[in-house]
Amino acid sequence: MASLSYLATPRLRLRKLRLDDTAAYFKLRSSEAVMHYIQRPLAQSPAEAEEQIRQQLEGEQAGAMVVWAVADLNDNLLGIAGYWRMQLEHQRAEVGYMLDAPYHNQGLGTEVLRAVLNYGFEEMKLHKIQADVDSENVASLKLLARFGFKQEALFRENRFFNGKYYDSCWLGLLRNEWQG
């Protein structure tokens, strides 16, 4: 697999996540608005956020994931994006992304996803990129559809979090469907 690259879009820079991103990362992972469709507990402290960054950096070093900090042109962290649940022996990985709430609905997700998908197909030589999305996350489902992702499965009430069951929608995009 290619090493993590610095990616640029017209308004963003995708770079390696760093420990000095902890304060902004904590803000992201402790925000109910950002984490609304992600069934994971909110970060409770900057120390917890720093540990999450360390785990992601270790996972990346071990070849288990690829994680970018999504930063503006002044290098302020706005979100994260990357590949998790990588199965490189099958040339497959799961894409994920999140942006802080003030940056929603500005087309930034489109810029991020285009750069990350291009990296996955061109640099990582993936055959398939998957996404696992809360079925109620209409904005994310529309974003993925815009790039040609097709729904492959709907797992009904397959996640239990905070006393509630959630459906997850699995989508996929094959290399030969990618329009770059």
Side-chain angles (χ1 to χ4, degrees):
M1 179 178 66
S3 61
L4 179 67
S5 295
Y6 171 90
L7 305 176
T9 76
R11 297 179 289 171
L12 302 168
R13 301 296 175 256
L14 281 68
R15 57 155 172 86
K16 188 172 183 69
L17 191 60
R18 304 182 304 240
L19 290 177
D20 66 356
D21 291 318
T22 296
Y25 186 84
F26 173 63
K27 180 178 180 283
L28 189 70
R29 291 298 306 263
S30 63
S31 166
E32 289 185 22
V34 173
M35 298 294 291
H36 182 76
Y37 295 111
I38 300 171
Q39 288 84 36
R40 292 200 182 116
L42 298 176
Q44 298 298 307
S45 69
E48 182 181 337
E50 181 177 317
E51 179 56 27
Q52 290 172 353
I53 290 173
R54 286 183 193 279
Q55 289 172 0
Q56 290 181 18
L57 293 173
E58 289 169 9
E60 189 170 80
Q61 188 172 24
M65 62 181 61
V66 177
V67 182
W68 286 276
V70 176
D72 63 17
L73 299 179
N74 294 318
D75 204 34
N76 299 304
L77 183 82
L78 309 182
I80 61 169
Y83 289 106
W84 293 266
R85 294 187 188 115
M86 295 189 341
Q87 296 178 324
L88 298 179
E89 69 275 16
H90 301 293
Q91 299 173 330
R92 179 174 65 218
E94 180 183 329
V95 69
Y97 44 84
M98 72 170 62
L99 287 172
D100 201 357
Y103 306 103
H104 291 181
N105 301 310
Q106 297 178 28
L108 297 176
T110 299
E111 288 184 36
V112 169
L113 192 54
R114 180 175 286 114
V116 170
L117 293 175
N118 191 60
Y119 182 85
F121 287 124
E122 300 302 324
E123 300 299 323
M124 295 174 67
K125 305 300 183 196
L126 295 174
H127 172 71
K128 183 177 189 177
I129 297 175
Q130 297 174 293
D132 177 3
V133 181
D134 182 307
S135 66
E136 295 180 9
N137 189 344
V138 175
S140 192
L141 292 170
K142 284 181 179 178
L143 175 62
L144 292 162
R146 198 172 309 132
F147 284 99
F149 277 79
K150 308 235 182 326
Q151 181 176 324
E152 297 180 339
L154 176 66
F155 295 102
R156 298 177 308 136
E157 297 186 0
N158 70 318
R159 288 196 189 115
F160 186 75
F161 180 71
N162 282 347
K164 181 180 174 189
Y165 288 98
Y166 295 86
D167 297 345
S168 69
C169 184
W170 277 76
L171 301 102
L173 180 66
L174 301 175
R175 175 194 296 276
N176 65 358
E177 298 167 335
W178 169 238
Q179 301 296 314

